[in-house]
Amino acid sequence: MSLFRCPLCASPLTRTDRTYTCPKGHSFDRAREGYVHLLPANQKHAKDPGDDKEMAAARNRFLSGGWYAPLREALCRLALTYAPAGASVLDAGCGEGYYTAGVYAALSETGQVGQMAGVDLSKPSLRWAARREKAVEFAVASVYHLPVADTSVDLLLNCFSPLALDEFRRVLRPGGVYLYVVPAARHLWELKEVLYDGPYLNKEEDIPYEGFSYLEVVPVEAVLELPDRDTIRDLFSMTPYRWKTPKAGAARLEELDHLRVAAAFRVHVFHREPA
Ligand SMILES: C[S@@+](CC[C@H](N)C(=O)[O-])C[C@H]1O[C@@H](n2cnc3c(N)ncnc32)[C@H](O)[C@@H]1O
Ligand SMILES: [Zn+2]
């Protein structure tokens, strides 16, 4: 069974080795790595194509190095706390699947996952994700048009990805739980001090999104000792600073062969209220 629905007519999809098909005859090919392309042409946006190949590879190397393991462990703990037995789990904006695969592994050990899926706009990211965990379904799709049925998700994960509130409200069943990871005030502060003359702290705010109520906010913090230029460059390449750093700042970063930097996250844990 697939968690995905046909992006053209919303019927259930049947998965085979090569394709996903719906009863109305719409058919979607699976890539060699196993993910499926469910993004209709009219939902493609040149200005928002998702992470490119280089960013996906940098993120994959950095996360595979275990630098953000404390966040993954926190997400696994929260998933184990809140997922019911046999849960349907969706990672919206899953990237290269580091957290998706971690949460899947934790939940499958206790029988708490029935089916799990990840979606992202970035094909290069999904190539990595699909290789990480074969038991999770992955699709190229936008979080603003999730190819998923209404109220079909028990646990929704969103790590640093766009906040598509209407869709999240639609797909989460009432009583379902939404884990939303955002940067805390001092996240990557020392990196920003190198890049910018006047860096600013991230704002920390708790926002009562309509349809959701807070269960808790879980802070996760670590100090990273990045040991070499490649690791520092990978971290830089997976952040939005890659696009908005003055040349002088980027040059200063290139000079470093070691960086001690704070990683600080906040996991907002929401309960989907009944409609
Ligand atoms: C900062 S990355 C986070 C990826 C992953 N959750 C992680 O924490 O490693 C943001 C991700 O959102 C994806 N993205 C951006 N806009 C999107 C959209 N409209 N729909 C789906 N994914 C999107 C990007 O391709 C990228 O993989
Ligand atoms: Zn269809």
Side-chain angles (χ1 to χ4, degrees):
M1 209 170 61
S2 171
L3 197 60
F4 294 135
R5 289 293 179 269
C6 178
L8 302 177
C9 70
S11 307
L13 287 170
T14 305
R15 175 174 38 162
T16 67
D17 281 352
R18 295 271 173 91
T19 57
Y20 280 68
T21 49
C22 85
K24 297 198 176 148
H26 302 125
S27 176
F28 307 90
D29 289 339
R30 294 179 70 178
R32 193 159 28 99
E33 296 84 357
Y35 68 87
V36 59
H37 197 282
L38 295 180
L39 187 71
N42 65 1
Q43 286 173 22
K44 277 188 202 155
H45 295 291
K47 69 175 173 53
D48 184 15
D51 282 5
D52 64 23
K53 204 170 162 183
E54 256 178 58
M55 285 182 95
R59 187 183 303 286
N60 181 256
R61 282 191 300 267
F62 185 85
L63 294 177
S64 298
W67 299 105
Y68 283 180
L71 175 58
R72 180 155 89 161
E73 283 156 20
L75 290 173
C76 289
R77 274 196 306 277
L78 288 166
L80 288 168
T81 303
Y82 291 110
S88 293
V89 185
L90 178 68
D91 189 349
C94 62
E96 56 72 72
Y98 175 71
Y99 304 103
T100 334
V103 167
Y104 179 82
L107 291 178
S108 63
E109 261 186 38
T110 57
Q112 274 169 276
V113 62
Q115 42 187 0
M116 183 157 177
V119 304
D120 200 285
L121 275 183
S122 160
K123 253 197 250 184
S125 297
L126 290 181
R127 274 193 201 117
W128 294 109
R131 277 184 244 155
R132 271 196 193 277
E133 181 51 77
K134 294 282 170 209
V136 173
E137 302 182 274
F138 290 99
V140 181
S142 172
V143 296
Y144 297 105
H145 300 276
L146 288 168
V148 170
D150 296 0
T151 67
S152 62
V153 172
D154 297 297
L155 182 71
L156 178 70
L157 180 64
N158 171 2
C159 245
F160 288 102
S161 289
L163 180 65
L165 279 171
D166 287 341
E167 278 296 80
F168 295 175
R169 274 191 283 264
R170 180 182 69 79
V171 303
L172 256 179
R173 71 160 169 79
V177 168
Y178 171 36
L179 305 179
Y180 182 30
V181 181
V182 296
R186 292 186 58 80
H187 185 50
L188 303 184
W189 178 252
E190 295 82 357
L191 175 72
K192 284 156 72 172
E193 280 186 323
V194 176
L195 298 176
Y196 304 115
D197 293 331
Y200 56 88
L201 291 170
N202 298 315
K203 232 198 230 163
E204 286 186 3
E205 43 187 0
D206 297 353
I207 304 175
Y209 298 112
E210 192 191 328
F212 294 97
S213 52
Y214 270 100
L215 291 167
E216 54 180 322
V217 179
V218 178
V220 180
E221 283 173 22
V223 176
L224 314 181
E225 297 277 358
L226 305 183
D228 54 50
R229 277 179 202 210
D230 288 346
T231 313
I232 296 169
R233 201 178 293 141
D234 282 344
L235 173 61
F236 176 59
S237 303
M238 61 184 256
T239 65
Y241 315 130
R242 182 190 184 216
W243 306 113
K244 43 187 185 194
T245 291
K247 279 211 172 98
R252 282 196 294 270
L253 194 73
E254 279 293 319
E255 293 298 306
L256 297 184
D257 51 17
H258 175 262
L259 178 67
R260 184 185 165 89
V261 60
F265 313 94
R266 298 178 89 219
V267 187
H268 295 250
V269 183
F270 294 101
H271 177 250
R272 173 75 176 100
E273 291 165 353

